Amino acid sequence: MDPSTLAVTLGRGAENPGDPVNAPVTFTSTYRAGGDVTYARDDNPSWHPFEEILGGLEGGTAVAFASGLAAASAVIETLPAGAVVVAPADAYNGTRRLLADLESRKRLRVNLIDMRGWEETEEACEDADLLWVESPSNPLLSIFDVDGLVQLGHQCGALVAVDNTFATPLRQRPLDFGADVVVHSATKLLAGHSDVVMGAAVAVQDDMIDALRTRRSLHGGVPGPMEAFLAARGLRTLAVRLERAETTAVELEVRLADHSAVEVVRYPGFGSMVSFDVEGGAKAADRVCEQVQVIVPATSLGGVETTIERRSKWALETHLPPGLLRLSVGLEHVEDLWDDLARALG
Ligand SMILES: *Cc1c(COP(=O)(O)O)cnc(C)c1O
């Protein structure tokens, strides 16, 4: 079935006459003794609809986490002490902060590289235990050869993890290329309404799935039942939201590229994210964020509302062009968004 159909049909729970069409939200910390589940840090039926839908879309088994970084931490925590992680130097800044923290405490060795260079990647991979891939990358929207990187990582004996937050399983399925684990910030497009923080890791191999569930239980990065409900509800409409946002993003990209105040536009050809550099650097970019009225100046992305942010204002993002604005395209009408942007740029 088409992913848009799977998103609607999966994760409904029991299907007997009289059953609710939507699985109920289970607010419980514990379960009556004698059953398979004993305590809600190990499992909660409220996680299952989200896990079944996302797992179906990615082609694996999804494990829900309290946030995208909780999922990333769980993947990294499967590594032994002193393991080597190779990651892109322009990965999401939270991932880089996590890796830097682990390295500073001698938990891991971290090698941040320019993954656009194949030779540099090949060389770094030689002693890697984990190859971390993020494509498209946040916020430069670089595209990497996920298929090739999975093969390279495996030749080196490394696990390969792919952060698929920007592409979503509707535009890229890394498990089909043999990736060992896919990581998501469900906070973004999957939940899609800027009202929940949640994450997930998806894998095919039983030992990886078990390891992820064990990390979730031991480190306690469990999503709340309400969050899991909201994220599952968001997934139901992912396909239509993404289609609409993508159509608008393509049109905005074309118009931005034509605008005299815009130096560079970055758009990977799919998805809802557009990054562009305005002439005049940080000051001019800040002015755009102050002038927009329909678009919301805010961090994060993937919601129904269009948001804009100058990314270089953050520590660890100083490698970015100072005038780079990251636009997360939402569901407003393209002409209203363009009027707003053109006015702010003017
Ligand atoms: C936001 C984000 C994360 C972190 O997810 P949280 O849900 O905020 O913990 C990881 N990767 C990418 C690409 C992101 O955009």
Side-chain angles (χ1 to χ4, degrees):
M1 282 193 281
D2 188 80
S4 60
T5 309
L6 290 177
V8 171
T9 55
L10 290 174
R12 295 257 172 221
E15 294 184 349
N16 304 310
D19 284 340
V21 169
N22 288 296
V25 187
T26 306
F27 292 101
T28 196
S29 62
T30 190
Y31 303 88
R32 284 184 173 275
D36 292 338
V37 195
T38 57
Y39 189 53
R41 190 161 22 76
D42 298 324
D43 202 6
N44 186 315
S46 300
W47 302 341
H48 301 170
F50 171 81
E51 290 179 334
E52 284 170 28
I53 302 166
L54 181 60
L57 294 178
E58 285 285 8
T61 299
V63 182
F65 283 90
S67 68
L69 270 192
S73 297
V75 170
I76 291 165
E77 280 299 327
T78 65
L79 299 171
V84 176
V85 178
V86 172
D90 74 331
Y92 167 66
N93 70 14
T95 305
R96 280 183 286 130
R97 255 152 56 210
L98 170 65
L99 290 172
D101 176 69
L102 292 165
E103 186 175 41
S104 74
R105 294 185 290 110
K106 306 219 183 321
R107 169 68 178 81
L108 296 173
R109 284 188 291 147
V110 179
N111 191 1
L112 297 182
I113 60 162
D114 183 351
M115 234 172 242
R116 289 169 303 180
W118 191 257
E119 273 168 34
E120 185 178 347
T121 308
E122 247 176 349
E123 207 172 298
C125 247
E126 274 168 23
D127 60 352
D129 296 294
L130 172 66
L131 180 62
W132 189 273
V133 179
E134 183 181 303
S135 182
S137 68
N138 178 2
L140 286 171
L141 299 171
S142 304
I143 290 286
F144 298 97
D145 173 6
V146 174
D147 191 3
L149 286 167
V150 168
Q151 286 180 37
L152 176 63
H154 287 171
Q155 277 161 25
C156 303
L159 285 174
V160 181
V162 180
D163 184 333
N164 208 26
T165 298
F166 271 36
T168 84
L170 301 188
R171 295 295 176 267
Q172 173 171 274
R173 297 206 334 164
L175 297 176
D176 291 349
F177 297 130
D180 297 283
V181 58
V182 165
V183 174
H184 275 286
S185 172
T187 311
K188 315 293 168 54
L189 280 144
L190 302 188
H193 294 70
S194 307
D195 54 8
V196 56
V197 172
M198 226 180 100
V202 195
V204 175
Q205 303 284 343
D206 286 341
D207 52 351
M208 177 56 82
I209 297 161
D210 288 347
L212 292 167
R213 288 185 177 141
T214 301
R215 289 311 118 210
R216 176 173 66 184
S217 197
L218 292 182
H219 294 263
V222 290
M226 193 66 200
E227 279 75 7
F229 167 81
L230 287 170
R233 187 159 83 165
L235 273 174
R236 299 260 181 244
T237 58
L238 173 63
V240 277
R241 285 186 288 108
L242 184 58
E243 268 172 42
R244 164 67 177 241
E246 193 169 61
T247 306
T248 306
V250 168
E251 183 60 30
L252 293 179
E253 181 233 341
V254 171
R255 296 190 193 183
L256 282 167
D258 243 14
H259 197 286
S260 58
V262 175
E263 282 177 346
V264 183
V265 185
R266 296 177 185 78
Y267 185 66
F270 63 91
S272 58
M273 301 301 297
V274 182
S275 290
F276 60 101
D277 301 359
V278 292
E279 229 159 65
K283 261 207 175 128
D286 282 341
R287 211 157 40 234
V288 173
C289 297
E290 285 157 18
Q291 294 289 322
V292 286
Q293 289 169 6
V294 177
I295 298 168
V296 182
T299 198
S300 198
L301 57 106
V304 294
E305 69 293 321
T306 300
T307 56
I308 195 164
E309 186 177 44
R310 177 169 70 79
R311 287 301 288 177
S312 64
K313 74 179 186 186
W314 298 109
L316 274 194
E317 297 284 52
T318 47
H319 62 293
L320 298 175
L324 182 144
L325 289 170
R326 188 185 68 185
L327 186 71
S328 169
V329 178
L331 307 187
E332 306 89 338
H333 197 280
V334 62
E335 297 304 337
D336 293 322
L337 291 174
W338 178 247
D339 286 352
D340 200 33
L341 268 180
R343 193 184 332 104
L345 283 165

